[in-house]
Amino acid sequence: MTTQNVPQKVSLLERIQPAVGGREILDPATVEVVGRAPEATMEDLDAAVARARAAQPGWAARSDADRAERLNAAAEAIEAHAEELAVLLSREQGKPLNGPNARFEVGACVAWLRATASFPVGPEVIVDDESGRAELHHRPLGVVGAIGPWNWPMMISIWQIAPSLRMGNTVVIKPSEYTPLSVLGLVEVLNTVLDPDVLIAVPGRGDTGDRLTRHPDIAKIMFTGSTPTGKKIIAAASETVKRLTMELGGNDAGIVLDDADPTAIAEDLFWGAFINTGQTCAAMKRLYVPDALYDQVCDALVAIAGQMPMGVGLDEANVLGPVQNRAQWEIVDRLVTAAQDSGARILIGGDPDPEVIAGRGGHFYPTTLVADIEEDNPLVVEEQFGPVLPIIRYTDLEQAITAANALEVGLGSSVWSSDLDRARAVAARLEAGTTWINKHGAVDPRIPFGGAKESGFGLEFGTHGLREVSQSHVIAW
Ligand code: NAD
């Protein structure tokens, strides 16, 4: 028997790594090398934009049904590579395979592609009466530039790519420098079913993102990342009057009302805050609890936090992982230390491993709950973006609502109560893009998602999301 004609299975990682060189990407849990990432030069970026621009008319000329069918084929291609993508994501980002983490994220990519393929986008008839008729059509914009963060690198990329492609745009995507391999792997899989040059990845750092933002042949930037970077992008995009969708930072408040059942809500409260080890834009980052329930909520959360295993992502038992990078770990450590120094009470966690403090080993930070903390403490007013939750005591509901609305950001928020009418009345007063009742952070491809205040502008998902990656065109007679 000869093996001569048997094709060698080439792994995704081998396909995306440069033949030589590249930047070593380390596993945040083990500090082992995951792989080597290519870095696009500015010339590479310009060439990518030119190719995507050349490919756009042909892609737009396909029928909408044809493009929707390509998105469904892309979902199937991801399913066929699901485990390989999940392992790559887990190793590079740190998130465990299990829990609401790597396998869940790959599954969400599939779900979002299929849902985005299904939403209606036909022209809308705005006026049709004796005065005449006006139709609102949605045309492609051209080439969309997508810039993403490191926390949910695959899922957020799909949030940017899927609606853009559906509407007849082509896409140049710049992944975070912390998680390029995940996005390159995803793009490699998508490109097995997409037309050439319809989707091109340009791995690089902030300067690559800046060049993309200023590029005259990019019609729109879809950005997900921090508010400070978002502000730079808004300024840079003004040069070419680019369209923008800005999904920026948050510091979501959760408010427990005094009729809630602490034991019943504790697990959902926990995951609302600690999903992806707290590294989630719309995770609960400060929890307001009334006097009457304060100790019960604290105790119930401590009981759950103590049961959730944290460790290396590829270990099937773990559901919490490391902080993705050292810079973020330092932010988390600084904020917990500030809370401790102010006299706040650490209910569980804090006290990171001395080896990790010294910069050795994976970037683990223990699951941490902080009680008896003042409203103006840095851990409350800054975005911790890690496995820490401050629990703030309140006596008067008005005081909690005022505190929840006091910050400049407003991405998500939540109200927890056994009385839906009461919860809805409080929800209506919160300044946020989304307010959930008895859950937090539950995104759905059918439901528009976006920020209030400095958490950004523009909506993603559903028909609203499709409109945002298109040029409105009224035809009236
Ligand atoms: P970041 O702002 O540091 O980086 C995001 C991306 O912007 C990276 O790809 C980076 O290379 C790029 N970038 C940096 N400087 C740039 C510039 N001048 N021009 C263009 N691009 C530039 O954010 P991060 O640390 O990767 O992500 C964490 C933040 O993202 C948190 O604040 C989190 O709340 C936010 N986030 C928001 C959402 C949302 O939907 N609103 C979702 C996920 C994360």
Side-chain angles (χ1 to χ4, degrees):
M1 187 184 144
T2 168
T3 54
Q4 214 177 343
N5 294 326
V6 178
Q8 293 288 311
K9 191 173 182 309
V10 180
S11 76
L12 213 44
L13 194 54
E14 285 170 277
R15 278 153 62 185
I16 60 180
Q17 289 186 126
V20 285
R23 188 167 56 91
E24 281 189 346
I25 303 292
L26 305 184
D27 180 332
T30 61
V31 209
E32 287 165 9
V33 176
V34 178
R36 290 171 291 104
E39 295 256 311
T41 62
M42 294 303 164
E43 292 70 34
D44 294 337
L45 171 66
D46 290 347
V49 174
R51 279 163 46 211
R53 190 173 183 217
Q56 193 268 329
W59 178 249
R62 284 183 177 273
S63 68
D64 178 53
D66 197 1
R67 288 195 300 270
E69 194 272 320
R70 292 291 88 204
L71 295 192
N72 283 319
E76 266 174 49
I78 291 176
E79 276 179 329
H81 289 85
E83 191 61 10
E84 195 178 7
L85 286 168
V87 168
L88 177 60
L89 176 62
S90 176
R91 294 202 63 209
E92 180 179 62
Q93 205 285 336
K95 62 182 70 191
L97 287 173
N98 289 323
N101 293 300
R103 288 182 179 128
F104 169 86
E105 180 165 351
V106 174
C109 292
V110 172
W112 251 268
L113 277 163
R114 293 210 168 111
T116 308
S118 73
F119 303 127
V121 281
E124 295 158 54
V125 177
I126 308 296
V127 172
D128 189 15
D129 60 19
E130 61 287 352
S131 70
R133 183 175 163 100
E135 297 171 350
L136 180 61
H137 295 253
H138 305 289
R139 313 286 186 211
L141 283 163
V143 186
V144 171
I147 303 175
W150 48 258
N151 57 340
W152 293 88
M154 288 186 185
M155 184 176 75
I156 289 173
S157 295
I158 288 291
W159 291 359
Q160 298 171 328
I161 293 167
S164 300
L165 293 183
R166 170 80 194 277
M167 296 311 289
N169 307 288
T170 53
V171 177
V172 175
I173 185 163
K174 193 212 82 68
S176 166
E177 53 273 44
Y178 290 109
T179 50
L181 299 173
S182 301
V183 177
L184 289 171
L186 178 74
V187 167
E188 181 76 15
V189 171
L190 296 176
N191 275 331
T192 60
V193 299
L194 294 173
D195 293 351
D197 294 340
V198 156
L199 171 64
I200 305 174
V202 286
R205 295 164 190 267
D207 54 347
T208 312
D210 182 60
R211 176 92 160 201
L212 193 62
T213 305
R214 293 175 196 274
H215 203 295
D217 290 335
I218 293 290
K220 163 147 190 159
I221 292 288
M222 294 194 76
F223 174 72
T224 299
S226 65
T227 298
T229 305
K231 289 181 180 178
K232 288 186 200 162
I233 289 178
I234 293 166
S238 72
E239 291 167 12
T240 45
V241 195
K242 272 189 183 50
R243 277 68 184 144
L244 296 171
T245 294
M246 306 301 284
E247 295 287 3
L248 309 180
N251 194 344
D252 292 11
I255 303 180
V256 176
L257 304 190
D258 57 12
D259 57 33
D261 176 348
T263 327
I265 62 175
E267 186 153 351
D268 289 334
L269 280 176
F270 178 84
W271 283 116
F274 289 91
I275 182 168
N276 201 27
T277 314
Q279 301 160 104
T280 299
C281 53
M284 193 199 304
K285 294 177 180 141
R286 46 198 175 114
L287 178 62
Y288 295 84
V289 180
D291 270 329
L293 298 181
Y294 194 77
D295 291 341
Q296 289 175 66
V297 170
C298 288
D299 291 349
L301 278 171
V302 168
I304 286 172
Q307 290 166 16
M308 297 296 177
M310 176 185 282
V312 175
L314 296 188
D315 180 334
E316 300 274 351
N318 292 325
V319 292
L320 296 166
V323 177
Q324 203 280 331
N325 56 75
R326 182 72 191 184
Q328 191 62 45
W329 189 95
E330 303 275 1
I331 292 172
V332 171
D333 188 47
R334 171 175 64 79
L335 292 174
V336 175
T337 303
Q340 255 170 328
D341 291 349
S342 76
R345 192 159 49 99
I346 306 290
L347 296 174
I348 187 170
D351 196 18
D353 183 335
E355 284 292 300
V356 178
I357 296 174
R360 292 186 288 269
H363 315 304
F364 286 99
Y365 201 93
T367 307
T368 303
L369 293 166
V370 182
D372 298 335
I373 184 165
E374 296 299 322
E375 271 174 25
D376 59 354
N377 191 277
L379 177 59
V380 178
V381 296
E382 294 180 34
E383 186 187 32
Q384 67 273 40
F385 218 64
V388 183
L389 179 68
I391 308 169
I392 306 117
R393 185 192 292 269
Y394 75 82
T395 44
D396 173 10
L397 179 58
E398 289 304 312
Q399 175 201 343
I401 294 171
T402 304
N405 288 337
L407 302 184
E408 276 148 8
V409 285
L411 189 56
S413 57
S414 57
V415 183
W416 303 74
S417 170
S418 302
D419 180 337
L420 184 58
D421 290 338
R422 257 189 100 202
R424 287 179 63 188
V426 175
R429 296 179 59 197
L430 296 182
E431 296 167 1
T434 305
T435 300
W436 289 279
I437 295 175
N438 293 331
K439 55 186 180 179
H440 197 117
V443 287
D444 180 316
R446 299 166 300 178
I447 303 174
F449 176 75
K453 303 196 278 187
E454 290 198 5
S455 288
F457 52 83
L459 288 172
E460 295 189 295
F461 314 161
T463 304
H464 289 84
L466 294 177
R467 291 190 193 125
E468 298 256 345
V469 279
S470 63
Q471 174 60 51
S472 304
H473 183 192
V474 172
I475 299 183
W477 64 90

